[in-house]
Amino acid sequence: PNDSIDLVLFVNGIPTATAELKNKYSATGWDVQEAIRQYRTDRDPRNLLLGHRALVHFALDADLAYMTTRLAGEDTLFLPFNQGSGGPGAFGGKGNPLVGSDRHPTAYLWEDVWQADAWIELLDDFVFDEGESAARSVVFPRYHQWHVVRTCSGHARVHGAGQNYLIQHSAGSGKTKEIAWLAHDLSTLHTAGGELLFDKGIVITDRRVLDAQLQRQ
């Protein structure tokens, strides 16, 4: 029982993600930090499922969600997978909206991200391995990256070319990969009639570092 995983997401029998689920309102009082601790101390990175097959591991409770793509014991790095306190695409701070809804603040995970079609699309369009050696280095989008790419592409699919989108970012939020994901998504966007919506995509930047990073994506 101590080695069991709360949840595994399979696609055609292939394990793609694991999750540790906590409920701080239960008798144990465990929250997302306990889920993170379990991954760091109780889960063996050499395990075939955890270390080689599943692409991402989620730690969450009713309020907050985090994820990692590589288990490394105590050195495992977890990144937030939250919407922001103001909700997706809205001004706010860290975390998730805690008021204004009768749902758990992390309900978007199983209702939106883990929804079957959305999950398959995410695996197909976002996940890749950027490792240059035998060591696996899986890239998995954070929530805001996944959300903004889908939002812009969805709007372009309905309204066509010629639209303007302004996306505000903070330092270290992953905008380089987001630009690459969005450019790739728009380059494959088709109209209802099956025709490509855009003939060509051009990315313009005045930063040499960003230019070099984009060429590697």
Side-chain angles (χ1 to χ4, degrees):
N2 291 334
D3 294 330
S4 64
I5 300 294
D6 289 336
L7 180 69
V8 180
L9 303 184
F10 291 89
V11 175
N12 293 334
I14 301 173
T16 58
T18 72
E20 288 289 349
L21 315 175
K22 300 303 171 190
N23 179 9
K24 65 181 181 181
Y25 304 109
S26 67
T28 65
W30 287 343
D31 60 10
V32 67
Q33 293 302 321
E34 172 62 18
I36 291 175
R37 185 203 65 77
Q38 284 186 326
Y39 273 122
R40 285 176 172 166
T41 62
D42 298 344
R43 304 293 176 243
D44 187 354
R46 297 169 297 179
N47 178 276
L48 190 61
L49 167 66
L50 298 173
H52 299 280
R53 291 184 174 172
L55 301 169
V56 62
H57 310 283
F58 292 96
L60 68 149
D61 59 21
D63 296 334
L64 298 171
Y66 291 83
M67 63 95 173
T68 184
T69 58
R70 181 174 176 269
L71 296 183
E74 292 285 0
D75 295 327
T76 301
L77 174 64
F78 276 88
L79 295 175
F81 198 82
N82 300 306
Q83 296 178 309
S85 61
F91 180 80
K94 64 181 181 179
N96 288 304
L98 300 180
V99 295
S101 173
D102 57 357
R103 308 184 310 157
H104 287 304
T106 52
Y108 61 89
L109 255 176
W110 52 86
E111 292 181 357
D112 300 330
V113 181
W114 292 345
Q115 189 272 338
D117 291 337
W119 183 248
I120 292 174
E121 177 193 87
L122 189 156
L123 295 178
D124 185 46
D125 292 345
F126 288 84
V127 178
F128 65 95
D129 189 337
E130 67 173 358
E132 298 179 356
S133 63
R136 189 173 71 160
S137 181
V138 175
V139 175
F140 192 92
R142 292 169 64 181
Y143 180 85
H144 67 276
Q145 296 172 315
W146 175 79
H147 178 266
V148 76
V149 171
R150 295 189 88 218
T151 300
C152 291
S153 294
H155 189 276
R157 183 179 291 108
V158 174
H159 299 280
Q163 308 298 314
N164 294 318
Y165 306 101
L166 176 62
I167 304 171
Q168 182 177 354
H169 273 281
S170 59
S173 57
K175 55 183 171 292
T176 303
K177 287 184 173 63
E178 191 173 297
I179 293 170
W181 276 318
L182 183 56
H184 175 267
D185 211 42
L186 293 177
S187 71
T188 60
L189 202 61
H190 286 73
T191 65
E195 296 181 357
L196 276 173
L197 191 60
F198 298 99
D199 296 321
K200 186 180 292 293
I202 301 174
V203 178
I204 301 174
T205 175
D206 61 352
R207 294 177 56 197
R208 292 183 178 180
V209 173
L210 188 60
D211 179 65
Q213 291 173 338
L214 282 169
Q215 292 183 50
R216 294 196 297 266
Q217 303 305 317

PDB file of all heavy atoms in Angstrom, residues 104-126:
ATOM      1  N   HIS A 104     -14.091  22.671  -6.699  1.00  0.00           N
ATOM      2  CA  HIS A 104     -12.750  22.745  -6.124  1.00  0.00           C
ATOM      3  C   HIS A 104     -11.884  23.616  -7.031  1.00  0.00           C
ATOM      4  O   HIS A 104     -12.001  23.558  -8.259  1.00  0.00           O
ATOM      5  CB  HIS A 104     -12.128  21.357  -6.014  1.00  0.00           C
ATOM      6  CG  HIS A 104     -12.713  20.512  -4.927  1.00  0.00           C
ATOM      7  ND1 HIS A 104     -12.749  20.914  -3.611  1.00  0.00           N
ATOM      8  CD2 HIS A 104     -13.289  19.283  -4.953  1.00  0.00           C
ATOM      9  CE1 HIS A 104     -13.305  19.973  -2.875  1.00  0.00           C
ATOM     10  NE2 HIS A 104     -13.646  18.974  -3.667  1.00  0.00           N
ATOM     11  N   PRO A 105     -10.975  24.412  -6.488  1.00  0.00           N
ATOM     12  CA  PRO A 105     -10.111  25.257  -7.316  1.00  0.00           C
ATOM     13  C   PRO A 105      -9.265  24.484  -8.327  1.00  0.00           C
ATOM     14  O   PRO A 105      -8.840  25.051  -9.328  1.00  0.00           O
ATOM     15  CB  PRO A 105      -9.234  25.968  -6.278  1.00  0.00           C
ATOM     16  CG  PRO A 105     -10.095  26.051  -5.059  1.00  0.00           C
ATOM     17  CD  PRO A 105     -10.859  24.760  -5.046  1.00  0.00           C
ATOM     18  N   THR A 106      -8.999  23.196  -8.080  1.00  0.00           N
ATOM     19  CA  THR A 106      -8.212  22.409  -9.034  1.00  0.00           C
ATOM     20  C   THR A 106      -9.086  21.538  -9.937  1.00  0.00           C
ATOM     21  O   THR A 106      -8.580  20.642 -10.619  1.00  0.00           O
ATOM     22  CB  THR A 106      -7.199  21.505  -8.296  1.00  0.00           C
ATOM     23  OG1 THR A 106      -7.884  20.734  -7.293  1.00  0.00           O
ATOM     24  CG2 THR A 106      -6.103  22.336  -7.657  1.00  0.00           C
ATOM     25  N   ALA A 107     -10.384  21.816  -9.998  1.00  0.00           N
ATOM     26  CA  ALA A 107     -11.285  21.015 -10.835  1.00  0.00           C
ATOM     27  C   ALA A 107     -10.931  21.110 -12.314  1.00  0.00           C
ATOM     28  O   ALA A 107     -11.256  20.210 -13.096  1.00  0.00           O
ATOM     29  CB  ALA A 107     -12.735  21.462 -10.619  1.00  0.00           C
ATOM     30  N   TYR A 108     -10.245  22.203 -12.725  1.00  0.00           N
ATOM     31  CA  TYR A 108      -9.872  22.365 -14.131  1.00  0.00           C
ATOM     32  C   TYR A 108      -8.968  21.244 -14.618  1.00  0.00           C
ATOM     33  O   TYR A 108      -8.928  20.946 -15.817  1.00  0.00           O
ATOM     34  CB  TYR A 108      -9.161  23.711 -14.336  1.00  0.00           C
ATOM     35  CG  TYR A 108      -7.891  23.861 -13.542  1.00  0.00           C
ATOM     36  CD1 TYR A 108      -6.668  23.456 -14.050  1.00  0.00           C
ATOM     37  CD2 TYR A 108      -7.922  24.388 -12.252  1.00  0.00           C
ATOM     38  CE1 TYR A 108      -5.496  23.578 -13.300  1.00  0.00           C
ATOM     39  CE2 TYR A 108      -6.773  24.511 -11.499  1.00  0.00           C
ATOM     40  CZ  TYR A 108      -5.562  24.104 -12.030  1.00  0.00           C
ATOM     41  OH  TYR A 108      -4.416  24.219 -11.285  1.00  0.00           O
ATOM     42  N   LEU A 109      -8.253  20.596 -13.685  1.00  0.00           N
ATOM     43  CA  LEU A 109      -7.355  19.524 -14.097  1.00  0.00           C
ATOM     44  C   LEU A 109      -8.134  18.368 -14.711  1.00  0.00           C
ATOM     45  O   LEU A 109      -7.861  17.948 -15.834  1.00  0.00           O
ATOM     46  CB  LEU A 109      -6.533  19.032 -12.901  1.00  0.00           C
ATOM     47  CG  LEU A 109      -5.074  19.462 -12.850  1.00  0.00           C
ATOM     48  CD1 LEU A 109      -4.413  18.979 -11.576  1.00  0.00           C
ATOM     49  CD2 LEU A 109      -4.317  18.931 -14.052  1.00  0.00           C
ATOM     50  N   TRP A 110      -9.087  17.819 -13.986  1.00  0.00           N
ATOM     51  CA  TRP A 110      -9.808  16.657 -14.522  1.00  0.00           C
ATOM     52  C   TRP A 110     -10.934  17.053 -15.473  1.00  0.00           C
ATOM     53  O   TRP A 110     -11.329  16.268 -16.329  1.00  0.00           O
ATOM     54  CB  TRP A 110     -10.338  15.754 -13.400  1.00  0.00           C
ATOM     55  CG  TRP A 110     -11.155  16.427 -12.340  1.00  0.00           C
ATOM     56  CD1 TRP A 110     -12.492  16.671 -12.359  1.00  0.00           C
ATOM     57  CD2 TRP A 110     -10.685  16.912 -11.082  1.00  0.00           C
ATOM     58  NE1 TRP A 110     -12.881  17.290 -11.203  1.00  0.00           N
ATOM     59  CE2 TRP A 110     -11.803  17.444 -10.393  1.00  0.00           C
ATOM     60  CE3 TRP A 110      -9.434  16.937 -10.470  1.00  0.00           C
ATOM     61  CZ2 TRP A 110     -11.702  18.011  -9.121  1.00  0.00           C
ATOM     62  CZ3 TRP A 110      -9.349  17.509  -9.208  1.00  0.00           C
ATOM     63  CH2 TRP A 110     -10.455  18.027  -8.550  1.00  0.00           C
ATOM     64  N   GLU A 111     -11.442  18.278 -15.370  1.00  0.00           N
ATOM     65  CA  GLU A 111     -12.523  18.698 -16.264  1.00  0.00           C
ATOM     66  C   GLU A 111     -12.012  19.215 -17.606  1.00  0.00           C
ATOM     67  O   GLU A 111     -12.686  19.070 -18.626  1.00  0.00           O
ATOM     68  CB  GLU A 111     -13.369  19.779 -15.590  1.00  0.00           C
ATOM     69  CG  GLU A 111     -14.160  19.263 -14.394  1.00  0.00           C
ATOM     70  CD  GLU A 111     -14.999  20.347 -13.753  1.00  0.00           C
ATOM     71  OE1 GLU A 111     -14.914  21.519 -14.203  1.00  0.00           O
ATOM     72  OE2 GLU A 111     -15.740  20.043 -12.803  1.00  0.00           O
ATOM     73  N   ASP A 112     -10.825  19.818 -17.616  1.00  0.00           N
ATOM     74  CA  ASP A 112     -10.292  20.429 -18.840  1.00  0.00           C
ATOM     75  C   ASP A 112      -9.028  19.719 -19.339  1.00  0.00           C
ATOM     76  O   ASP A 112      -9.010  19.165 -20.428  1.00  0.00           O
ATOM     77  CB  ASP A 112      -9.989  21.913 -18.602  1.00  0.00           C
ATOM     78  CG  ASP A 112     -11.226  22.697 -18.205  1.00  0.00           C
ATOM     79  OD1 ASP A 112     -12.328  22.318 -18.630  1.00  0.00           O
ATOM     80  OD2 ASP A 112     -11.086  23.681 -17.457  1.00  0.00           O
ATOM     81  N   VAL A 113      -7.967  19.743 -18.540  1.00  0.00           N
ATOM     82  CA  VAL A 113      -6.671  19.225 -18.986  1.00  0.00           C
ATOM     83  C   VAL A 113      -6.719  17.719 -19.202  1.00  0.00           C
ATOM     84  O   VAL A 113      -6.228  17.207 -20.211  1.00  0.00           O
ATOM     85  CB  VAL A 113      -5.566  19.585 -17.977  1.00  0.00           C
ATOM     86  CG1 VAL A 113      -4.213  19.069 -18.459  1.00  0.00           C
ATOM     87  CG2 VAL A 113      -5.508  21.098 -17.757  1.00  0.00           C
ATOM     88  N   TRP A 114      -7.310  16.978 -18.255  1.00  0.00           N
ATOM     89  CA  TRP A 114      -7.359  15.520 -18.347  1.00  0.00           C
ATOM     90  C   TRP A 114      -8.540  15.009 -19.164  1.00  0.00           C
ATOM     91  O   TRP A 114      -8.705  13.800 -19.294  1.00  0.00           O
ATOM     92  CB  TRP A 114      -7.384  14.902 -16.952  1.00  0.00           C
ATOM     93  CG  TRP A 114      -6.114  15.091 -16.194  1.00  0.00           C
ATOM     94  CD1 TRP A 114      -4.900  15.485 -16.689  1.00  0.00           C
ATOM     95  CD2 TRP A 114      -5.915  14.892 -14.787  1.00  0.00           C
ATOM     96  NE1 TRP A 114      -3.973  15.553 -15.690  1.00  0.00           N
ATOM     97  CE2 TRP A 114      -4.555  15.197 -14.504  1.00  0.00           C
ATOM     98  CE3 TRP A 114      -6.746  14.496 -13.741  1.00  0.00           C
ATOM     99  CZ2 TRP A 114      -4.019  15.113 -13.223  1.00  0.00           C
ATOM    100  CZ3 TRP A 114      -6.227  14.402 -12.464  1.00  0.00           C
ATOM    101  CH2 TRP A 114      -4.873  14.708 -12.201  1.00  0.00           C
ATOM    102  N   GLN A 115      -9.368  15.906 -19.668  1.00  0.00           N
ATOM    103  CA  GLN A 115     -10.463  15.473 -20.544  1.00  0.00           C
ATOM    104  C   GLN A 115      -9.848  14.768 -21.753  1.00  0.00           C
ATOM    105  O   GLN A 115      -8.821  15.201 -22.273  1.00  0.00           O
ATOM    106  CB  GLN A 115     -11.285  16.695 -20.970  1.00  0.00           C
ATOM    107  CG  GLN A 115     -12.552  16.384 -21.701  1.00  0.00           C
ATOM    108  CD  GLN A 115     -12.367  16.255 -23.196  1.00  0.00           C
ATOM    109  OE1 GLN A 115     -11.395  16.776 -23.757  1.00  0.00           O
ATOM    110  NE2 GLN A 115     -13.268  15.556 -23.845  1.00  0.00           N
ATOM    111  N   ALA A 116     -10.455  13.668 -22.190  1.00  0.00           N
ATOM    112  CA  ALA A 116      -9.799  12.746 -23.129  1.00  0.00           C
ATOM    113  C   ALA A 116      -9.248  13.438 -24.376  1.00  0.00           C
ATOM    114  O   ALA A 116      -8.071  13.280 -24.720  1.00  0.00           O
ATOM    115  CB  ALA A 116     -10.766  11.628 -23.517  1.00  0.00           C
ATOM    116  N   ASP A 117     -10.079  14.201 -25.083  1.00  0.00           N
ATOM    117  CA  ASP A 117      -9.623  14.837 -26.324  1.00  0.00           C
ATOM    118  C   ASP A 117      -8.532  15.865 -26.049  1.00  0.00           C
ATOM    119  O   ASP A 117      -7.554  15.966 -26.804  1.00  0.00           O
ATOM    120  CB  ASP A 117     -10.801  15.500 -27.046  1.00  0.00           C
ATOM    121  CG  ASP A 117     -11.780  14.480 -27.606  1.00  0.00           C
ATOM    122  OD1 ASP A 117     -11.370  13.328 -27.824  1.00  0.00           O
ATOM    123  OD2 ASP A 117     -12.949  14.835 -27.814  1.00  0.00           O
ATOM    124  N   ALA A 118      -8.706  16.651 -24.989  1.00  0.00           N
ATOM    125  CA  ALA A 118      -7.710  17.673 -24.651  1.00  0.00           C
ATOM    126  C   ALA A 118      -6.389  17.027 -24.268  1.00  0.00           C
ATOM    127  O   ALA A 118      -5.313  17.523 -24.635  1.00  0.00           O
ATOM    128  CB  ALA A 118      -8.229  18.562 -23.519  1.00  0.00           C
ATOM    129  N   TRP A 119      -6.444  15.913 -23.534  1.00  0.00           N
ATOM    130  CA  TRP A 119      -5.225  15.247 -23.092  1.00  0.00           C
ATOM    131  C   TRP A 119      -4.455  14.671 -24.282  1.00  0.00           C
ATOM    132  O   TRP A 119      -3.236  14.813 -24.370  1.00  0.00           O
ATOM    133  CB  TRP A 119      -5.569  14.153 -22.088  1.00  0.00           C
ATOM    134  CG  TRP A 119      -4.378  13.447 -21.517  1.00  0.00           C
ATOM    135  CD1 TRP A 119      -4.008  12.147 -21.721  1.00  0.00           C
ATOM    136  CD2 TRP A 119      -3.380  14.002 -20.644  1.00  0.00           C
ATOM    137  NE1 TRP A 119      -2.862  11.851 -21.033  1.00  0.00           N
ATOM    138  CE2 TRP A 119      -2.447  12.969 -20.358  1.00  0.00           C
ATOM    139  CE3 TRP A 119      -3.190  15.264 -20.071  1.00  0.00           C
ATOM    140  CZ2 TRP A 119      -1.345  13.172 -19.531  1.00  0.00           C
ATOM    141  CZ3 TRP A 119      -2.088  15.451 -19.245  1.00  0.00           C
ATOM    142  CH2 TRP A 119      -1.189  14.428 -18.987  1.00  0.00           C
ATOM    143  N   ILE A 120      -5.168  14.031 -25.212  1.00  0.00           N
ATOM    144  CA  ILE A 120      -4.507  13.478 -26.390  1.00  0.00           C
ATOM    145  C   ILE A 120      -3.897  14.595 -27.234  1.00  0.00           C
ATOM    146  O   ILE A 120      -2.791  14.475 -27.754  1.00  0.00           O
ATOM    147  CB  ILE A 120      -5.501  12.638 -27.214  1.00  0.00           C
ATOM    148  CG1 ILE A 120      -5.876  11.377 -26.430  1.00  0.00           C
ATOM    149  CG2 ILE A 120      -4.913  12.251 -28.564  1.00  0.00           C
ATOM    150  CD1 ILE A 120      -6.954  10.551 -27.069  1.00  0.00           C
ATOM    151  N   GLU A 121      -4.613  15.716 -27.371  1.00  0.00           N
ATOM    152  CA  GLU A 121      -4.083  16.857 -28.115  1.00  0.00           C
ATOM    153  C   GLU A 121      -2.830  17.403 -27.440  1.00  0.00           C
ATOM    154  O   GLU A 121      -1.847  17.749 -28.105  1.00  0.00           O
ATOM    155  CB  GLU A 121      -5.143  17.954 -28.205  1.00  0.00           C
ATOM    156  CG  GLU A 121      -4.673  19.223 -28.886  1.00  0.00           C
ATOM    157  CD  GLU A 121      -5.639  20.383 -28.663  1.00  0.00           C
ATOM    158  OE1 GLU A 121      -5.498  21.075 -27.632  1.00  0.00           O
ATOM    159  OE2 GLU A 121      -6.534  20.565 -29.497  1.00  0.00           O
ATOM    160  N   LEU A 122      -2.843  17.475 -26.113  1.00  0.00           N
ATOM    161  CA  LEU A 122      -1.679  17.974 -25.375  1.00  0.00           C
ATOM    162  C   LEU A 122      -0.470  17.075 -25.619  1.00  0.00           C
ATOM    163  O   LEU A 122       0.633  17.558 -25.882  1.00  0.00           O
ATOM    164  CB  LEU A 122      -2.023  18.039 -23.886  1.00  0.00           C
ATOM    165  CG  LEU A 122      -1.029  18.727 -22.943  1.00  0.00           C
ATOM    166  CD1 LEU A 122      -1.748  19.217 -21.686  1.00  0.00           C
ATOM    167  CD2 LEU A 122       0.114  17.818 -22.544  1.00  0.00           C
ATOM    168  N   LEU A 123      -0.674  15.765 -25.538  1.00  0.00           N
ATOM    169  CA  LEU A 123       0.434  14.835 -25.757  1.00  0.00           C
ATOM    170  C   LEU A 123       0.972  14.956 -27.177  1.00  0.00           C
ATOM    171  O   LEU A 123       2.182  14.859 -27.406  1.00  0.00           O
ATOM    172  CB  LEU A 123      -0.034  13.404 -25.502  1.00  0.00           C
ATOM    173  CG  LEU A 123      -0.451  13.055 -24.067  1.00  0.00           C
ATOM    174  CD1 LEU A 123      -0.938  11.612 -23.999  1.00  0.00           C
ATOM    175  CD2 LEU A 123       0.684  13.277 -23.083  1.00  0.00           C
ATOM    176  N   ASP A 124       0.090  15.175 -28.128  1.00  0.00           N
ATOM    177  CA  ASP A 124       0.489  15.219 -29.535  1.00  0.00           C
ATOM    178  C   ASP A 124       1.171  16.530 -29.907  1.00  0.00           C
ATOM    179  O   ASP A 124       2.153  16.549 -30.656  1.00  0.00           O
ATOM    180  CB  ASP A 124      -0.744  15.001 -30.416  1.00  0.00           C
ATOM    181  CG  ASP A 124      -0.393  14.912 -31.889  1.00  0.00           C
ATOM    182  OD1 ASP A 124       0.573  14.199 -32.232  1.00  0.00           O
ATOM    183  OD2 ASP A 124      -1.091  15.554 -32.706  1.00  0.00           O
ATOM    184  N   ASP A 125       0.673  17.651 -29.371  1.00  0.00           N
ATOM    185  CA  ASP A 125       1.127  18.970 -29.830  1.00  0.00           C
ATOM    186  C   ASP A 125       2.134  19.652 -28.911  1.00  0.00           C
ATOM    187  O   ASP A 125       2.806  20.592 -29.342  1.00  0.00           O
ATOM    188  CB  ASP A 125      -0.079  19.905 -29.998  1.00  0.00           C
ATOM    189  CG  ASP A 125      -0.992  19.487 -31.133  1.00  0.00           C
ATOM    190  OD1 ASP A 125      -0.563  18.664 -31.962  1.00  0.00           O
ATOM    191  OD2 ASP A 125      -2.142  19.973 -31.185  1.00  0.00           O
ATOM    192  N   PHE A 126       2.226  19.235 -27.665  1.00  0.00           N
ATOM    193  CA  PHE A 126       3.050  19.974 -26.711  1.00  0.00           C
ATOM    194  C   PHE A 126       4.247  19.198 -26.177  1.00  0.00           C
ATOM    195  O   PHE A 126       5.323  19.761 -25.983  1.00  0.00           O
ATOM    196  CB  PHE A 126       2.198  20.425 -25.516  1.00  0.00           C
ATOM    197  CG  PHE A 126       1.233  21.534 -25.818  1.00  0.00           C
ATOM    198  CD1 PHE A 126      -0.015  21.274 -26.372  1.00  0.00           C
ATOM    199  CD2 PHE A 126       1.568  22.855 -25.553  1.00  0.00           C
ATOM    200  CE1 PHE A 126      -0.913  22.290 -26.640  1.00  0.00           C
ATOM    201  CE2 PHE A 126       0.684  23.888 -25.815  1.00  0.00           C
ATOM    202  CZ  PHE A 126      -0.554  23.603 -26.376  1.00  0.00           C
TER     203      PHE A 126
END
